Amino acid sequence: MSTGPSQAEIPAGVTLPIYMDNHATTPLDPRVLEAMMPYLTTKFGNAASRNHSFGWEAEQAVDAAREQVAKLIGATAKEIIFTSGATESDNLALKGIAEMYRERGNHIITQVTEHKAVLDTCKRLEKSGCRVTYLPVKADGTIDLEDLRRAIDDKTILVSIMAANNEIGVLQPVREIGKICHERGVLFHTDAVQAVGKVPLNVIDDCVDVASISAHKIYGPKGVGALYVRRRNPRVQIAAQIDGGGHERGMRSGTLNVPGIVGLGKACELAQENLLQEASRTQCLRDRLKTKLEAELDYVHVNGSMEHRLPGNLNMSFVYVEGESLLMGINDVAVSSGSACTSATLEPSYVLKALGLGDDVAHSSIRFGLGRFNTEAEVDYVAAKVIQVVRHLRELSPLYEMVKDGVDLTKVQWAAH
Amino acid sequence: MAYSDKVVDHYNNPRNVGTLDKSAAEVGTGLVGAPECGDVMRLQIRVNPETNVIEEAKFKTFGCGSAIASSSLATEWIKGRTVDDALSIKNTDIVKELSLPPVKIHCSVLAEDAIRAAIGDWKKKNNVAEIAPPAK
């Protein structure tokens, strides 16, 4: 038997391997690199050097980037703090606010499908006297706003809810959350890493007080990010978590990563220029992939809301096929799986489990992340390849055979190990 | 994760995939693992009642590449052996043959369990003592 996955034809215009994991990271846009190059070579000055031209040109570049970042989210330049990336931004937001507002309260509200940068920070804050409420999500991956209203009490200082989820791409109702927070006088932080530059986000209209941003998710360089910190209505104060030279208005010391910041700025500018156009193009590709897979395969389902979702995200379970074995068959396509076998902890995705999916469905999930540089030809190749490999693996799957024979798998006495 | 050439070969060209009639007296079926754990192996053997030799072995596996390879290899190894001889196959033999990394050792354990379960089922059906006496 050789239904093996190695014989798929490579169509014209497709170069292998194909990168379709744009939630993990994105390739650097050549225009971003071009903007950065001078600051990696001749314009090497320290933006904090006040008394020579090398410092001045670096500072000017940083100021311009601050404008570009601010503009993308409807903020002002003074509200942007540069960091080493979104993990640092999340840490600074949560720890900085918990410390600064300690006298007002110690209660933080978040939700169960947040990124680990938020969840693990909350776990640490719990050890130092904070009380954290982890809201559940509905089957579609969004939170229930009534749950949020009920969870706010007189000790609540902060709500931290992501704008878009990194695994299932589900968009939380940011504006409604922001309004509730402002009505109740509670600060609202959003981890906007996956959403910024992909879907419209405006910190004024959406009532966001603090937002985490990363460059490498929007075709910028790794190692640089930003934190938006609102300056009025209300003025948010954050206790620094890194002490030193008092950079970034004292909120984040450390010599500025000038080339990285220039890259982040350029990436934001590019994202803003074509935001809606790029979103609709990416969504067309995503929908094309989904349609093809659903037309050819049975027992597939999309995890999380299709309605409230990032345009480039498709998280699908190919039931009765284990995710890692599927990845192995499509090894010339870079995607991710929620399968336990692909994780360091040997636990299936906590995000998929939070949707109420069984471990068996989580084990069968694949995350496709489409982005700026994916093409229709790539989508067609990936769809054909996935269909071929899923069929191959289902021929090997005792579960698929049992289901086809009418066996109810939930009634089988499994010898769990 | 990088897979050994042998794992890749078994994944691409699995040996002895299929289904035997589980109601037949000479067929033993082992179904081990659980969908929630991400691995289920079904291994079946057809045993010659005269010689106790496993004349046919078939498998189907839901699991990662290493689990598929472990069960595919197990069917190759047990074919042509007597049931008692087949029981001497250890998971460590499978680990060695397929160069499985430590995180994949459980796949080989499951394959050994599947061999034992299939033989156990056959013995039960045919009233052979659970612990076989030495060959007469």
Side-chain angles (χ1 to χ4, degrees), chain A residues 196-243:
Chain A
V196 158
K198 313 287 170 59
V199 290
L201 181 83
N202 183 292
V203 291
I204 304 298
D205 298 343
D206 294 333
C207 303
V208 173
D209 298 315
V210 187
S212 303
I213 297 169
S214 172
H216 78 100
K217 309 288 194 192
I218 52 171
Y219 312 97
K222 289 162 187 66
V224 61
L227 186 67
Y228 157 75
V229 184
R230 183 186 280 270
R231 270 166 69 88
R232 57 179 55 156
N233 304 320
R235 180 185 179 86
V236 179
Q237 290 181 287
I238 288 190
Q241 301 300 305
I242 297 178
D243 297 312

Side-chain angles (χ1 to χ4, degrees), chain A residues 1-2 4-5 320-322 324-325 328-329 341 359-360 363 389 392-393 395-399 401-402 414-417, chain B residues 3 7-8 11-14 17 19 31 33-40 42 60-65 68 104 106 110:
Chain A
M1 163 175 168
S2 188
Y320 316 125
V321 168
E322 194 277 327
E324 187 188 335
S325 66
M328 189 174 167
C341 289
D359 282 6
D360 50 340
H363 281 299
V389 175
H392 167 66
L393 292 171
E395 275 183 57
L396 303 187
S397 171
L399 305 178
E401 182 190 297
M402 289 162 89
W414 298 106
H417 56 294
Chain B
Y3 299 94
V7 169
V8 173
Y11 174 88
N12 284 328
N13 305 293
V17 175
T19 308
L31 182 67
E36 304 81 58
C37 304
D39 308 285
V40 175
R42 189 191 63 198
K60 283 200 175 191
T61 289
F62 162 83
C64 65
I68 290 169
K104 295 297 181 188
H106 72 275
L110 207 59

Side-chain angles (χ1 to χ4, degrees), chain A residues 6-7 39 113 140 182 213 237 246 260 274 293 335 345 349 376:
Chain A
S6 51
Q7 317 92 348
Y39 300 93
T113 67
D140 72 355
H182 280 194
I213 297 169
Q237 290 181 287
N274 296 310
L293 295 173
V335 293
T345 56
S349 154
E376 214 166 79

Side-chain angles (χ1 to χ4, degrees), chain A residues 121-132 134:
Chain A
T121 302
C122 285
K123 291 260 147 42
R124 184 174 293 270
L125 286 169
E126 281 181 288
K127 286 181 191 154
S128 60
C130 283
R131 186 160 52 85
V132 181
Y134 301 89

